[in-house]
Amino acid sequence: MSTVSVPAELPAEPPEDRLPFRDPARPLGERIDDLLSRLTPDERIAMLHQYGPAIPRLGIEPFRTGTEALHGVAWLGPATTFPQAVGLGATWDDELIRAVGTATATEVRAFHHHREPATGSGRHSLQTWAPVVNLLRDPRWGRNEEGYSEDALLSARLGDAFCRGMAGDDPEQLRTAPILKHFLAYNNEDDRTTTSSGVRPRVLHEYDLAAFRPAVAGGSATGVMAAYNLVNGRPCHVSPLLESELRRWARPTGHELFVVSDAEAPSNLVDTEHYFDDHATAHAAALKAGIDSFTDHGEDTQTTFGRFTEAVERRLITAADVDRAVRRQLSIRFRLGEFDPGQGPYAGVGWDVVDSPEHRALALRAATESIVLLKNSAVGDRASGAAGGASGGASGGSSDGTGNAAGLLPLAVGGRRVAVVGPLADSLSEDWYSGTMPYRITAADGLRTAVGARGGSTVVVEGVDRITLRAASTGGLLTAAGEDACLVVTDTQAGDDAAQFDLFDWDLGVLTLRNARTGRYAGLVDADQSLAADRVQPAGWDVHETFRLEPLGDGTEALRSVYSGRYAVVDADSGAVAVTAERAADAEHFTRTVVRDGVAEAVAAATDADAVVLVLGNDPLINGRETQDRAGIALAPAQERLLRDVVAARPETVLVVMSSYPYAVDWADAHVPAVLWTSHGGQETGRALAAVLLGEADATGRLPQTWYRGDDELPGRLDYDIIKAGWTYQYHRAAPLYAFGHGLSYTDFTLTGLALDRTRIAQDGELTASVTVTNSGARDGVETVQLYVRAVDAASYQAPRLTLAGYRKVRLAAGASARVSFPLAAGEALAHWSVAEGDFAVEAGKYQVLVGRSAADLPLGADLTVDGAAPEPRRVVGRRVRAVDFDDYEGVTLVDFTPTAGEAVAVGDGGAHGTLLYRAVALDGARAFSAEVSREGAGAARIEVRAGSMLLASIPVPSTGDPYAWTTVTTPVPPPPPGTPDLHITLHGAHRLHTFTFLP
C-alpha cells in the first residue's frame, strides 16, 4: 500500500473519527475544506495520480479512479454480463437502460465492499468509467460496440438513463460515480493519439456536444474522461471546452465535474503528439485546462508526482491549481460515502447481488429486447424486409401476426429438425470491456432446450474446417501434448484429436485454431514464445490467439503470430515449437490437410434439416476493436461462402448476425427469408435468441445506427463533418440497406391520427404532437413510435434530412390502441447552431413533423409553421468574424489558434488552396479588409476575397516564423456589389487564418 511521507513537524491530529470532515451532518463544502486543510502539499499533489496513496494519520485509505462497467462489471471476475452498449442502444428503452445501470452499480458496490484487489492499491473503485456516449458516426470504428447510437438524442437519453441507474436517486449520496467517455469527437482507432478530428462549430454543437450535455447538465454524470485524439489540431486533454462547455453546464447542479485522463494520454502530449516540449509543461497545461486525475504509468505514482512537483517549482502551476483538482476528487469521495460512518447508505450491499436471480432475469430481458428483426418474408420471397431502407409501410410487420403465413419467423419447430450452424453458433464472445460471464448460454444451447421442449430436435455444426499441420522438417504433426496442452510436433496419427484443429477464418488472413482434444484455442506463451492450446477464447489487451498461415510458394505454409509478427520454428530433436523466427525464410514449412470440410458438413446438416439458424458475425477482439478500426463492412469471405452454400441447400434459413457493428449483408437481404441482428448479448444470448426465433417473445429491438449497402461509398474515416461528408441518417444521401430505427415485429401496428395541438408557433414556442398506435395483429407486441422533424425551406443553413425528436416504446395487446404524445420545444427540436450568431437559433419558416417506425418509414406527417423574422444578412463590416464560422468550405482543415484556446483555418494537407464560404453578407460601407494570420515557413502565400464573382482583395501573407505568432494584414477594397452577396475567402499557400473583418 503506497503512502506519502509526512513532515515530522506536523501537529498530531485528534482521533480521526472526531475530525470535522468525518461528520456527515456538516455541509459537503465544509467537510471538503476541512479535509483539504489537513493535507500537506505533497499529499495533494499525490492525489492527482490515478492511484492516490493512503494517508494513515487521517485514516484515509488509498483511492483509485476507474472501474470499468460498460455493460456489467468488467475485469474483476465473474459478474452479470449484459449486451454490449450498441445492443443496449437497440432497445430504445430508457427505463431498461436505467435498470441495467442500477444492477451494474450494485455489483460494483459488492466488489468494492467484499473483494479486495490483488495489488493492494485500494479497494475496487466506486468511480465507474461508463457509459460511452461517443456517437457511432462511422460503422468501421473499432469501438463501435461501446456506443449507443449514431443519433445524439438517442445516445444522450440512454447515456443519461444509465448514469441515473449508476448514481442512484439521491443527488447528494452516490451509489457509484459514473464517468462519460470519451470527450470529444472520438471515432477512429488507427493512429488515434495523433489524428485530429475536424469539427466545425455546427457539428460541434448540434452533434458531438449534444450527446454529452443532458447527463452533465442534469447531474446524472459526475465526470468525464478526455479522449485520446486531437480536435481541430489541439489534444482533447488540453481542450478549453472542458471548462467553457462541460463545467458551465454542470454548475447549476451544484456539483462540479471530476474529469479524468485516458490511460497514458498525459504522456502522449509529449511522446506521440509532440504538442509540448516536456512533461512538466504538458501536465501543467492539462491540469489548468481541467484534467483532475492523471491515469499514467500504471500504479507508478512517482512519475506523475515528479512531473507536478517540477511544474510547481517552475511556477507553471500554483497551489490553487492543485487544490481545485483535489477538491473535485474529494467531492466525489465524500458523496460516495467514503468518509461517513459505515461508508454511506449503499454500503450494506451483500455479495449475493452479483449474478443474482434478479440480475440474471434483467440480463435475459436486455438480451431479448436488443434483438432486431431486420427481415421476415416467406421462403422464396426475395422482397427485402427493409423495402429499400423502409420497413414495409405503417404496419411494419412481414408476419400476419400468427407466425408463418407471411414470414419464416417465428419458426414452427414441433416435430422438426433445426440445424444451428455457423462459427458463432455454439460460442459466446466477451469484448475488452465485458465482464467475465458467470455462465454462457449459446445460440445452440438456447435452441437445443427450446426446440426440444416443443418436440423438435437440433443438430449443431460450426461450418469451419478441421485441419492438421504437418512439419516438413520432421514429418510430424502439430499436436497438443500433455496436461498443459503445449503444442509440439510429434509422429501422432492424423486421426488423433490432439493433432486436429478447427480453423476459424476471421478475414484479412487472420485465423484462430481450436484444438479438437482440448476444445481450447492455441495461443502464444510469453515466457518462451511456445504455443499452448489452453485458451477459452481470444482475450486480453494483447491478443495472443490469432495467427496467419502464409503461403511459402512450395505448397506449404508458415504459421505466424499476429501479435508478435514472428514465425513458428520446430526443434528437429525435441519437436518443440517456438514462435521466434523474424523472417519467413527461417520459418517451419507446414502442410495443411483438411480432415473435415466445414462448409460441406454445414451443407449436409442443412440438407437434412427442416430449417437452419445460421449464426455469423465477428469476434469482438479480432479485426475491429480498441486500437484497430475495421477494414470494411462486408462479412468475412469465408462466412459469405458458408451463407450462400447453406441457403442453396436449405432455403428455410434464418441468418442471425451476431456482431459489434453493422454489416453490409446485401446478398442475404435479397436471398434469405429472415435476418436478425444481435450484438454480443452476454450470458443470456442463447435463451434470448431462442425466445425471439420461436416467437415466445416479440422482436422489439430497433437499429441504433444505419446499416449501409455494400456498394455505398462511405465518407473518409477521418471526415468528422457529418453535414458535408453525409454521415448518419441525418445527412447520408444514398438509400441504406436497413435504416436507422428499423426493426420488424411479429404483429402488425398501424399509426393513425397524427395531430399537433398547434400548427403555428413562435421561434421559442412549444407544442405537443400526438398519434394513435394500434396493434392490428393477432398477438401482443411492442412498437417503438419514432417522431422526426425536418425543415422544409431552410434558407440560411443546410438542414438535416431528418432529425429524431422523440421516441416512445409502446406495449400493446392484440387489438389494443394507445394515444402517444410527444412534447416539442422549438428551441430544442428545431434549432440549429447559427454560425452568424454564435448560438442556437430557430429559423422561421415551414417544418414537418413526421411519425413512423424508422427514418425511412414515416407514413404520417403534419405541417408546422414557425413565425418570426427572416434571418438577417451576416454583418461583417466593423465586426470581427471567426474564420471557422463559415457556412461551407472546400480544401481546408481546422487548426488551433494557440495551444490553449481558439480555432483557425488552414489549407488542407497536400492542397495548394482552400476556400471558405460565408452566405449572404452585408458589405455596405466596407472600405478595407483586415485578417489575422500566421505563417511558419517561407514562400508565397496570399488571401483572395470575393463578393459573389467580384474580386475585392488579394493580400499577401507574410511569414511570422511560428504558427502561433499572429499578425494582422490589411488592404483597401473597392466598393462592394449591392445586396447581400456570398463571400468567398480563398487561402493560397501554407498559412493560417483566425479572424477577419471589413473596416468601414
Side-chain angles (χ1 to χ4, degrees), residues 312-673:
V312 170
E313 293 170 349
R314 291 169 55 187
R315 298 185 179 180
L316 300 173
I317 55 174
T318 66
D321 295 320
V322 175
D323 287 355
R324 184 169 54 249
V326 173
R327 182 181 296 277
R328 291 169 181 152
Q329 179 189 126
L330 292 178
S331 174
I332 295 298
R333 295 173 70 173
F334 273 105
R335 294 174 67 198
L336 287 167
E338 179 180 345
F339 306 118
D340 291 351
Q343 298 197 330
Y346 295 109
V349 63
W351 180 251
D352 57 354
V353 303
V354 177
D355 189 36
S356 64
E358 294 79 10
H359 290 181
R360 290 186 175 192
L362 183 61
L364 175 58
R365 178 188 166 196
T368 303
E369 296 190 21
S370 70
I371 296 171
V372 182
L373 179 57
L374 299 173
K375 179 187 178 184
N376 189 24
S377 61
V379 176
D381 179 2
R382 296 193 175 187
S384 168
S391 52
S395 69
S398 295
S399 168
D400 65 352
T402 61
N404 303 21
L408 178 60
L409 295 178
L411 282 176
V413 297
R416 306 178 76 206
R417 183 178 178 85
V418 178
V420 190
V421 177
L424 279 69
D426 202 19
S427 65
L428 292 183
S429 297
E430 294 172 357
D431 59 49
W432 176 238
Y433 291 102
S434 286
T436 302
M437 296 185 216
Y439 59 89
R440 299 170 185 241
I441 301 174
T442 68
D445 295 333
L447 285 165
R448 187 181 295 115
T449 299
V451 171
R454 296 186 176 204
S457 62
T458 56
V459 60
V460 179
V461 175
E462 290 176 304
V464 300
D465 289 347
R466 180 163 288 186
I467 67 168
T468 60
L469 292 172
R470 188 175 299 276
S473 63
T474 69
L477 292 174
L478 187 67
T479 304
E483 293 185 0
D484 60 0
C486 183
L487 296 190
V488 296
V489 170
T490 71
D491 57 1
T492 308
Q493 297 298 308
D496 190 333
D497 285 353
Q500 297 181 359
F501 296 85
D502 296 324
L503 187 154
F504 294 80
D505 183 344
W506 300 107
D507 198 8
L508 305 177
V510 178
L511 54 89
T512 52
L513 297 168
R514 188 183 64 200
N515 186 255
R517 177 180 72 85
T518 67
R520 301 294 181 94
Y521 290 86
L524 186 67
V525 180
D526 282 334
D528 56 7
Q529 302 302 295
S530 64
L531 297 173
D534 61 352
R535 317 296 169 83
V536 174
Q537 65 180 68
W541 180 258
D542 298 317
V543 179
H544 284 35
E545 296 80 24
T546 51
F547 300 91
R548 302 181 189 275
L549 283 169
E550 297 184 356
L552 293 172
D554 60 356
T556 65
E557 297 170 301
L559 180 65
R560 188 179 192 183
S561 165
V562 173
Y563 166 66
S564 71
R566 298 189 180 95
Y567 297 89
V569 296
V570 177
D571 183 274
D573 296 326
S574 66
V577 178
V579 185
T580 55
E582 299 285 350
R583 304 182 307 153
D586 300 323
E588 178 63 54
H589 289 228
F590 286 102
T591 299
R592 183 196 322 193
T593 300
V594 176
V595 298
R596 186 189 68 198
D597 185 313
V599 173
E601 184 185 31
V603 166
T607 302
D608 291 341
D610 298 295
V612 175
V613 175
L614 177 61
V615 190
L616 305 177
N618 77 303
D619 183 304
L621 293 174
I622 299 174
N623 290 343
R625 54 156 293 171
E626 186 170 358
T627 74
Q628 181 186 21
D629 288 316
R630 300 168 70 192
I633 60 175
L635 282 172
Q639 294 192 21
E640 186 75 23
R641 178 192 167 202
L642 178 64
L643 166 67
R644 298 188 185 203
D645 286 3
V646 165
V647 172
R650 175 55 59 202
E652 295 84 356
T653 292
V654 181
L655 171 62
V656 175
V657 181
M658 185 184 297
S659 69
S660 307
Y661 27 63
Y663 277 104
V665 288
D666 301 48
W667 188 90
D669 182 66
H671 296 89
V672 181

